[in-house]
Amino acid sequence: MVDTMALLPSFIRPTRMTKRPARPAGPPAADEAVLDAPDDRLSPALVAAARGDHTGAAALLAATRAAAEWENRDRYVRRLAAFARSRPEWFENWRTAAPGDPDALLLDAQLTVDRAWPSPARAELLREASPLITAAARADDRDPVPWRIALDHARGSRAGHRYFEELWEAAVRRAPHHYGCHVAALRYLAALWHGSHQACFDFADLAAQDAPADSLVQALPARAAFGYLTDGCGPELGRARLDAAADRAVALSVRLPAADPWPAEVRNKLLYVLLRLDRRDDAATQARLIGPYATSFPWDRFSDDPLGHFLRLRDHLLTGGPEPVPAGLVPGPADPLGDHRGHVRAGDH
């Protein structure tokens, strides 16, 4: 594996659901839309949790740990933590019933970081999460997800690059191509070197070159492109690099299941990047692959109604003919809508 951190200078290496007209139960039709829809494995766990029953969530996370499904485990723990923020009773019951459960420990660590993130006292509150993250990491030494949480925690607490590098090395030792850990590292670089998109692209490009063709890490350069296109600061990057980043993500998207909630977040961000690059045909293809599965991010950066925003974009792409997409639907950093950040969501920090 290529050492992606070695590329950088030494001092830095270190549910909402909304539908159109009602229809029988089952997967949504192409002309409907759902926001942040859970997949078929997560949905029953959330339904049970809403009734106060933690056993579905416990079984789901235990299954991902047993099968070393680290990408699924990361996604599920984020979604379960987001649910527990507003409906904590089921998780409190789980934690009381099985205080040493590795999956409960992991969820506790994620939930504590999520609760601290929007607070003005973030750095102080994050200190309370440190022992929880350590406990989750020790509970299963194979699991990279506690290390992804630790990477997010380090960014939120403004930890130094040497400490971050130690966490990064521990994370990639467990899962060299884990997408969540790579996103956490990219966010750390963006926060540390605000405006230095060159460094972020260098990291993302090298990581993608080293990753298998079907790895989500192939979408990392497009995520760096999204950051550049929405930031509005730093030196200009060449168009060729932005197109190459989008091309990687397009090639990955083709390999992933169509009209499926699992790759929806990657595709929704890619859709924005393609529209900003005026690649309308490619954007229309992504809109078809997304199907009904809109995600709050990135559209809640630009609108208080992310689902409506997505639907307007999709309808224009698929039925609007050759007419240009209205500028207000694809705001850039200079657009007044581009300053909208929506609500703080777990997983967006």
Side-chain angles (χ1 to χ4, degrees):
M1 184 191 71
V2 176
D3 180 2
T4 48
M5 279 293 180
L7 176 70
L8 304 177
S10 59
F11 68 90
I12 181 60
R13 291 200 306 270
T15 295
R16 285 177 290 167
M17 184 174 292
T18 306
K19 295 185 179 182
R20 290 182 171 183
R23 62 184 297 274
D31 62 345
E32 295 178 338
V34 289
L35 189 68
D36 302 326
D39 65 19
D40 291 341
R41 296 173 70 186
L42 178 61
S43 183
L46 291 174
V47 171
R51 298 194 303 262
D53 181 4
H54 68 272
T55 57
L60 176 62
L61 291 184
T64 62
R65 180 163 47 88
E69 297 176 2
W70 305 130
E71 299 291 2
N72 284 335
R73 183 173 177 80
D74 202 353
R75 289 189 303 118
Y76 293 151
V77 78
R78 289 175 182 268
R79 293 297 300 272
L80 289 167
F83 189 75
R85 287 185 71 183
S86 58
R87 300 285 294 274
E89 298 84 2
W90 63 276
F91 176 63
E92 296 298 338
N93 293 338
W94 181 8
R95 188 167 55 179
T96 300
D101 186 324
D103 307 306
L105 290 171
L106 180 67
L107 185 52
D108 200 7
Q110 180 69 65
L111 180 58
T112 303
V113 171
D114 288 349
R115 284 172 171 164
W117 204 267
S119 171
R122 177 195 299 169
E124 293 78 5
L125 292 174
L126 283 176
R127 294 194 190 101
E128 300 175 10
S130 294
L132 300 175
I133 298 170
T134 299
R138 288 176 175 170
D140 190 330
D141 189 58
R142 304 170 304 148
D143 188 356
V145 182
W147 297 94
R148 190 271 303 157
I149 298 173
L151 293 170
D152 285 338
H153 178 275
R155 176 167 54 91
S157 56
R158 300 187 179 184
H161 59 272
R162 291 181 182 175
Y163 176 66
F164 189 91
E165 181 180 3
E166 292 175 2
L167 296 176
W168 168 255
E169 290 174 352
V172 296
R173 221 171 24 243
R174 287 159 176 81
H177 307 298
H178 180 61
Y179 182 63
C181 290
H182 280 77
V183 170
L186 187 67
R187 286 170 164 170
Y188 179 85
L189 291 176
L192 186 67
W193 280 358
H194 181 58
S196 183
H197 296 285
Q198 182 77 38
C200 293
F201 264 94
D202 289 347
F203 171 77
D205 284 343
L206 192 57
Q209 291 166 20
D210 189 40
D214 59 352
S215 168
L216 287 178
V217 175
Q218 294 296 334
L220 200 66
R223 191 168 189 123
F226 177 87
Y228 170 75
L229 292 169
T230 56
D231 189 18
C233 73
E236 184 174 350
L237 293 178
R239 171 64 189 253
R241 192 159 201 185
L242 297 172
D243 277 324
D247 289 343
R248 275 192 179 275
V250 165
L252 172 67
S253 180
V254 172
R255 295 173 176 269
L256 300 176
D260 188 279
W262 179 68
E265 188 171 342
V266 166
R267 285 184 173 135
N268 275 256
K269 286 194 293 290
L270 175 58
L271 176 59
Y272 175 86
V273 170
L274 291 168
L275 288 168
R276 284 292 307 277
L277 296 178
D278 198 26
R279 292 173 54 168
R280 182 194 171 95
D281 290 345
D282 288 332
T285 298
Q286 292 307 309
R288 295 186 186 95
L289 289 171
I290 290 168
Y293 296 108
T295 56
S296 293
F297 187 76
W299 312 118
D300 62 359
R301 289 176 61 99
F302 315 121
S303 173
D304 287 320
D305 178 18
L307 180 57
H309 193 93
F310 168 81
L311 287 172
R312 289 189 293 274
L313 264 175
R314 188 184 70 176
D315 289 349
H316 186 88
L317 284 169
L318 300 185
T319 64
E323 295 182 10
V325 177
L329 289 181
V330 195
D335 191 305
L337 285 175
D339 291 334
H340 183 89
R341 289 296 180 268
H343 55 289
V344 177
R345 296 192 305 120
D348 282 352
H349 48 63

